[in-house]
Amino acid sequence: LDRAKVEKIPVIAYDRLIMNSDAIAYYATFDNWKVGVQQGSFIEEALKLKTEAGPFNIELFTGSPDDNNINFFFGGAMEVLQPYIDSGKLVVRSGQTAKEQCATQNWNTEESQKRMENLISSQGYGPKGTRLDAVLSSNDSVANGITNALVAAGYTAENFPVLTGQDCDKPAVKNMLAGLQSMSVFKDTRTLAAQVVKMVDSIMKGSKPEINDTQTYDNGTGVIPSFLCDPVSCTVENYKELLIDSGYYTEAELT
């Protein structure tokens, strides 16, 4: 990066913002705050938090503490959920609400499974125990571990808590189709790649690339001009259109 800066070569950070370097010219990613908002809003709607009295029990999971994106995933979700936690309509029985307490090192499935198993044990969650209404998960690899722990505790499609995710990984989509995971946020990598191609093309032609955000992403040396692609909420209702009809997956890959 230092050499690129000396040579006056523009650097585009792709999907992950490169922190603490003033060599970064542009950033291309999805609107990660919106990802979190979509996850939080899904829980809000699924539990009818605006109209139901509650209280509802929820536990919170996010990703790796060294990933800058979790500030946006978790922050966006908590923008929706925190008022309900503050009012007592949502109850985090474990008391683990800080980002650091909810983090999952390396977004690791085994780590999230262990933590969910510990929560089941310590809080008595189960189909015949303490009711668990929802689990916020920032992505699918974390959600897969949560699902494994909940299934092992006796949960089925008939009584599974609301569970969020992100990336539309194949195992998670299969869990959605099986009635386990409730939703995932689809970030079509083809959209991001195509946008970066346009950015590179503009730079090569001597013009400034298209950006749509100049306020959000500070990498420690200043705000990086960014292009944010739109994420889309995926459920069993629209997965076919989003994932199969678009050619992202074949139907056989999800069976």
Side-chain angles (χ1 to χ4, degrees), residues 51-67:
T51 56
E52 295 295 318
F56 300 96
N57 293 329
I58 187 171
E59 294 293 344
L60 311 171
F61 285 71
T62 191
S64 198
D66 58 358
D67 184 343

Side-chain angles (χ1 to χ4, degrees), residues 52-99:
E52 295 295 318
F56 300 96
N57 293 329
I58 187 171
E59 294 293 344
L60 311 171
F61 285 71
T62 191
S64 198
D66 58 358
D67 184 343
N68 181 59
N69 282 352
I70 76 164
N71 296 312
F72 299 92
F73 299 146
F74 194 67
M78 293 304 282
E79 180 181 65
V80 178
L81 300 177
Q82 190 66 55
Y84 295 110
I85 294 172
D86 292 343
S87 72
K89 189 173 281 193
L90 280 179
V91 178
V92 184
R93 291 180 60 86
S94 68
Q96 297 172 10
T97 58
K99 180 181 63 181

Side-chain angles (χ1 to χ4, degrees), residues 11-19 24-33 35 66-73 107 138-139 166-169 185-197 199-200 216-219 224-231 248:
V11 175
I12 302 172
Y14 187 98
D15 200 36
R16 289 293 190 280
L17 183 57
I18 301 170
M19 303 298 289
I24 310 304
Y26 302 102
Y27 179 38
T29 188
F30 285 85
D31 189 333
N32 293 319
W33 188 270
V35 169
D66 58 358
D67 184 343
N68 181 59
N69 282 352
I70 76 164
N71 296 312
F72 299 92
F73 299 146
W107 298 90
S138 287
N139 91 333
Q166 173 189 186
D167 295 325
C168 288
D169 291 345
V185 177
F186 183 44
K187 295 159 66 176
D188 192 335
T189 51
R190 298 168 299 184
T191 301
L192 181 58
Q195 188 59 43
V196 172
V197 169
M199 294 171 77
V200 171
T216 306
Y217 287 93
D218 189 326
N219 78 338
I224 308 300
S226 305
F227 190 96
L228 310 182
C229 300
D230 271 330
Y248 196 78

Side-chain angles (χ1 to χ4, degrees), residues 143-155:
N144 290 340
I146 295 165
T147 298
N148 292 343
L150 292 173
V151 168
Y155 286 96

Side-chain angles (χ1 to χ4, degrees), residues 6-255:
V6 169
E7 300 287 342
K8 297 185 176 172
I9 298 169
V11 175
I12 302 172
Y14 187 98
D15 200 36
R16 289 293 190 280
L17 183 57
I18 301 170
M19 303 298 289
N20 304 312
S21 170
D22 61 1
I24 310 304
Y26 302 102
Y27 179 38
T29 188
F30 285 85
D31 189 333
N32 293 319
W33 188 270
K34 188 181 285 186
V35 169
V37 169
Q38 288 178 347
Q39 293 168 338
S41 297
F42 186 91
I43 292 173
E44 179 184 53
E45 292 168 17
L47 298 182
K48 299 183 174 64
L49 294 178
K50 289 181 179 178
T51 56
E52 295 295 318
F56 300 96
N57 293 329
I58 187 171
E59 294 293 344
L60 311 171
F61 285 71
T62 191
S64 198
D66 58 358
D67 184 343
N68 181 59
N69 282 352
I70 76 164
N71 296 312
F72 299 92
F73 299 146
F74 194 67
M78 293 304 282
E79 180 181 65
V80 178
L81 300 177
Q82 190 66 55
Y84 295 110
I85 294 172
D86 292 343
S87 72
K89 189 173 281 193
L90 280 179
V91 178
V92 184
R93 291 180 60 86
S94 68
Q96 297 172 10
T97 58
K99 180 181 63 181
E100 295 75 18
Q101 294 173 305
C102 303
T104 307
Q105 192 69 42
N106 300 320
W107 298 90
N108 185 270
T109 297
E110 289 74 21
E111 288 300 314
S112 63
Q113 181 171 340
K114 284 179 194 173
R115 179 165 173 251
M116 190 69 243
E117 288 169 348
N118 288 337
L119 290 172
I120 290 168
S121 175
S122 64
Q123 305 305 317
Y125 293 128
K128 297 179 181 178
T130 303
R131 192 181 72 254
L132 179 60
D133 298 291
V135 183
L136 170 72
S137 170
S138 287
N139 91 333
D140 287 345
S141 59
V142 172
N144 290 340
I146 295 165
T147 298
N148 292 343
L150 292 173
V151 168
Y155 286 96
T156 66
E158 284 67 43
N159 53 25
F160 213 77
V162 176
L163 175 61
T164 63
Q166 173 189 186
D167 295 325
C168 288
D169 291 345
K170 290 176 194 174
V173 177
K174 290 178 181 179
N175 282 337
M176 285 167 53
L177 297 178
L180 304 178
Q181 187 170 323
S182 309
M183 64 86 75
S184 186
V185 177
F186 183 44
K187 295 159 66 176
D188 192 335
T189 51
R190 298 168 299 184
T191 301
L192 181 58
Q195 188 59 43
V196 172
V197 169
K198 290 179 187 175
M199 294 171 77
V200 171
D201 191 48
S202 296
I203 292 169
M204 295 300 290
K205 289 176 178 175
S207 59
K208 288 193 174 181
E210 179 186 4
I211 57 173
N212 61 11
D213 185 280
T214 57
Q215 297 181 330
T216 306
Y217 287 93
D218 189 326
N219 78 338
T221 66
V223 175
I224 308 300
S226 305
F227 190 96
L228 310 182
C229 300
D230 271 330
V232 182
S233 181
C234 178
T235 67
V236 290
E237 280 76 31
N238 67 348
Y239 86 96
K240 191 172 184 299
E241 174 190 350
L242 284 179
L243 304 178
I244 296 174
D245 295 348
S246 73
Y248 196 78
Y249 291 137
T250 65
E251 198 149 10
E253 288 179 291
L254 300 179
T255 57

